[in-house]
Amino acid sequence: MLAPLLVSAAMLVSGAPAAPPANAQFDYQLGGAYRPAPGVEVVTRDRTDSVAKGRYSVCYVNAYQTQPGALRWWRHHHPRLLLRNRNGDLVHDPGWRREVLFDTSSRANRSGIAGVVGRWIGGCAHDGFRAVEPDNLDSFTRSHHLLDRSDNLALARLLVRRAHRVDLAIAQKNLAGLDHRRAHRIGFDFAVAEECQVYSECGAYTQVYGAHVIEVEYADNGRRAYRRACRDHGNRLSVILRDRNLRPRGKPGYIYRAC
């Protein structure tokens, strides 16, 4: 069972931007935008896509590693912001080999990353999004010990300031285990948790954000975790099941279910 729902960290901050409505039907459209189904209230789309009209739209930005297809741009414009190992080789995300981790280990690098991502966040606000989801706070766990948690949290503080400056709410994306005090100090407004039911982490998010948690379970794990999440807390949190590649509706392999 989940821990009792508490007031989210950012709700304690006067004037904080409004987080997505709790327990609203959600759709995760990172593989390509499509018309949301009737009843969907919250939609996350990539920053290069337009907002979902009439819905609370969340803007996805890759804030801790490169977007697929963007590595050449980063190597040309900001090579020092890319993480390299002791042999000088770029460090790729083992689960997404086309993505290279950003080097968050120094203040100068974090400032440089925040400058680029901050411009994207400003673009999200200009385009009409209401929140931003910076992926992926736990990138340090895939850095072969070249980065640590404090590096990524320090970058998160810069991104939160930028989002709030343009009146966007901002999500903690993954990394279960931040306590309420730490999350409040950083300033996150809600959480997006992938596979928290699979890893028995959902309660760690609700302890901090109450019902302001969006849970995404993936069908390649089977459907038991999704069904259990719906049974345990689907009446309190936004819980969906998606295919891992987040394909648009109508494409082969598309899967979408919501509690």
Side-chain angles (χ1 to χ4, degrees), residues 15-134:
N23 195 29
Q25 188 172 340
F26 170 71
D27 196 357
Y28 214 31
Q29 298 189 2
L30 301 185
Y34 52 91
R35 184 186 296 275
V40 170
E41 299 177 58
V42 180
V43 176
T44 293
R45 288 179 174 173
D46 188 80
R47 67 181 182 85
T48 59
D49 285 325
S50 59
V51 301
K53 293 182 179 180
R55 273 80 170 184
Y56 185 112
S57 293
V58 180
C59 186
Y60 171 92
V61 298
N62 232 348
Y64 291 86
Q65 53 202 65
T66 63
Q67 191 83 349
L71 179 57
R72 179 179 295 180
W73 183 91
W74 282 95
R75 294 184 74 160
H76 179 73
H77 293 282
H78 301 285
R80 294 184 180 180
L81 302 182
L82 299 172
L83 184 65
R84 294 180 180 272
N85 63 24
R86 292 173 179 84
N87 295 324
D89 301 321
L90 293 172
V91 178
H92 293 255
D93 185 319
W96 302 92
R97 295 297 301 172
R98 296 174 62 199
E99 301 187 19
V100 170
L101 274 60
F102 295 148
D103 184 353
T104 63
S105 63
S106 71
R107 179 177 296 181
N109 276 16
R110 293 191 293 269
S111 178
I113 297 164
V116 176
V117 178
R119 289 192 291 274
W120 298 344
I121 291 172
C124 294
H126 178 269
D127 292 342
F129 287 92
R130 297 186 60 189
V132 61
E133 176 193 325

Side-chain angles (χ1 to χ4, degrees), residues 118-196:
R119 289 192 291 274
W120 298 344
I121 291 172
C124 294
H126 178 269
D127 292 342
F129 287 92
R130 297 186 60 189
V132 61
E133 176 193 325
D135 196 28
N136 191 331
L137 190 59
D138 66 2
S139 68
F140 67 91
T141 65
R142 299 179 294 282
S143 72
H144 306 287
H145 306 289
L146 297 171
L147 306 174
D148 62 32
R149 173 170 136 152
S150 64
D151 297 327
N152 281 17
L153 295 182
L155 174 58
R157 284 192 288 272
L158 299 179
L159 301 180
V160 167
R161 290 173 196 162
R162 176 58 175 159
H164 287 173
R165 195 178 306 141
V166 293
D167 200 32
L168 294 183
I170 183 167
Q172 175 187 329
K173 174 66 176 292
N174 294 330
L175 190 61
L178 283 188
D179 61 28
H180 193 272
R181 179 181 59 83
R182 178 69 61 87
H184 173 68
R185 187 164 68 242
I186 295 170
F188 291 122
D189 301 290
F190 64 107
V192 177
E194 293 178 297
E195 303 173 285
C196 69

